[in-house]
Amino acid sequence: MPLGILVADAAGQVFFRNQFAMLEQFDGQESVLLDNKVRDLIATALDGGSGEEMADFWGPPRRTFELRSLPVIVDGESAGATVVIEDVTERSRLNQVRRDFVANMSHELRTPVGAISVLAETLLTNNDPDVVARLSERLHRESFRLGNTIEDLLALSRLESGEDDQFDEVLVADIFADAKERAAQASVGHSIELTTEQAELGLTIYGDRSQLSAAVGNLVDNAAKYSEPGSRIELAARALGDSVELSVTDHGVGIPEGELERIFERFYRVDPARSRQTGGTGLGLSIVRHVVRNHRGDIHVESREGEGSTFTLRFPQG
Ligand code: ADP
C-alpha cells in the first residue's frame, strides 16, 4: 500500500517498518532526507507531541510526501512512537491546479473591472460627445466581456458538478440547429454550411442536448472568430462504428502545431490580443473538453497555420 508505517520503542529505535517505509523506492539523497525527518518526528512523539512534516522531491517525476507522528502511550507512560508516511503527490498537484485557477481567474476578472473603473471615471469628467460615445462603447465592450467570462465560469462549474445532466437520445440535426442559433451573433458574415447528407442528420447521440449544442456552438463561435468574415464554416457528421463524429471546419488563421496541446487549458490563448478583440474568454475550449469528458467521448484537432482548422468530437451513438 502507498502508505509507510514505522513504529519505534521508548528509546527511539525503529523496530517495525512496513514494505513502503523501507524507503527502497527512494534514491540515496531522498531516503537520507526522509530518515532525518522520521528521526525528528519520533523525537517529537517521544516528548508527547504529534508532529507533521512535508517532503517534496522534484524528480522527475515530482513526488510529495506527508509524514505524521503520534506518541504511543501505555499506562500513562510514553512507550514509543509511530510515524506514517503518505504519498500525497496527486492531492498536492490538485491543490496547485486549484490555486493556479483562482489566481488566473482573479487576474481575468480584474483586468476588465479595472478598465471599466477607469473608463467610468473618465466619463464623469468629460462632456465631449465624441469622447463620451467612444468611451461608452468601450465600457459596453468590457462589461460584455466580463459578463461572458462569468457565464463561462458558471457553465464550467455546472459541467463539473454534473448536477444538471439530462441524458437522452439527441438528434444530430437538433445539435447543429441549436449550435448555429447560439453562434449566430459571432458568425454574422460567415456562411455556415452543412456538408452532411440527410441520413447523417438523423443520427443520434446519447447525451445532454444543451451540453452537446454548447460544445458545437463554441466550436462554431471559434471558427468564426479565427477566420475572415465571409469565409466558409463547415459542419459535418458521420457514423463510425458505434460512434458518431461531429466536425467543425474553418478556413481561418489555424493553430501552430506546438500550441495544439495547450489550447484546451483554461484561459490559454495563442494570440491574447485577438482573443480579447473578439470578446473571447479563453474558456470556450475548456467547456468543449468538459462536455466531451462528460459524454465519454474524445476530441481531435487538425490544423494548419494560415489554412484553417477542423475540430472533431466523437461520441457514443444513441
Ligand atoms: P477564446 O475565448 O480565446 O477563443 P477558447 O478556449 O475558445 O478561448 O480557445 C483557446 C484558444 O485557442 C484561442 O484563444 C485561439 O488562440 C485558439 N483557437 C481556438 N479555436 C480556434 C480556431 N478555430 N482557429 C484558430 N485558433 C483557434
Side-chain angles (χ1 to χ4, degrees), residues 17-36:
R17 284 173 188 261
N18 72 349
Q19 183 68 28
F20 188 91
M22 295 291 184
L23 310 186
E24 280 156 359
Q25 77 274 36
F26 301 100
D27 71 23
Q29 249 182 330
E30 292 173 349
S31 59
V32 168
L33 189 117
L34 280 174
D35 254 342
N36 284 341

Side-chain angles (χ1 to χ4, degrees), residues 20 26 29 31-32 40 47 58 112 119 133-135 143 155 180 188 192 210 225 243 255 269-270 282 287 311 313-314:
F20 188 91
F26 301 100
Q29 249 182 330
S31 59
V32 168
D40 291 348
D47 281 345
W58 288 88
L119 288 165
R134 212 177 57 226
L135 295 183
S143 49
K180 277 172 76 171
V188 170
I192 304 182
S210 70
K225 283 194 302 192
S243 313
I255 302 160
R269 292 130 168 147
V270 177
I287 292 177
F311 284 77
L313 310 179
R314 189 188 301 168

Side-chain angles (χ1 to χ4, degrees), residues 222 225-226 250 254-255 263 268-270 275 280-282 284-285 309:
N222 281 349
K225 283 194 302 192
Y226 302 104
D250 67 62
I255 302 160
I263 54 173
Y268 188 82
R269 292 130 168 147
V270 177
S275 165
T281 65
L285 288 180
S309 317

Side-chain angles (χ1 to χ4, degrees), residues 4 6 17 20-42 53-57 63-68 83-87:
L6 298 100
R17 284 173 188 261
F20 188 91
M22 295 291 184
L23 310 186
E24 280 156 359
Q25 77 274 36
F26 301 100
D27 71 23
Q29 249 182 330
E30 292 173 349
S31 59
V32 168
L33 189 117
L34 280 174
D35 254 342
N36 284 341
K37 287 188 186 284
V38 166
R39 214 166 305 134
D40 291 348
L41 284 167
I42 290 175
E53 296 252 6
M54 300 298 286
D56 217 351
F57 301 130
R63 290 190 299 170
T64 310
F65 296 88
E66 189 179 78
L67 296 90
R68 274 170 287 139
V83 178
V84 175
I85 306 174
E86 190 181 354
D87 184 343

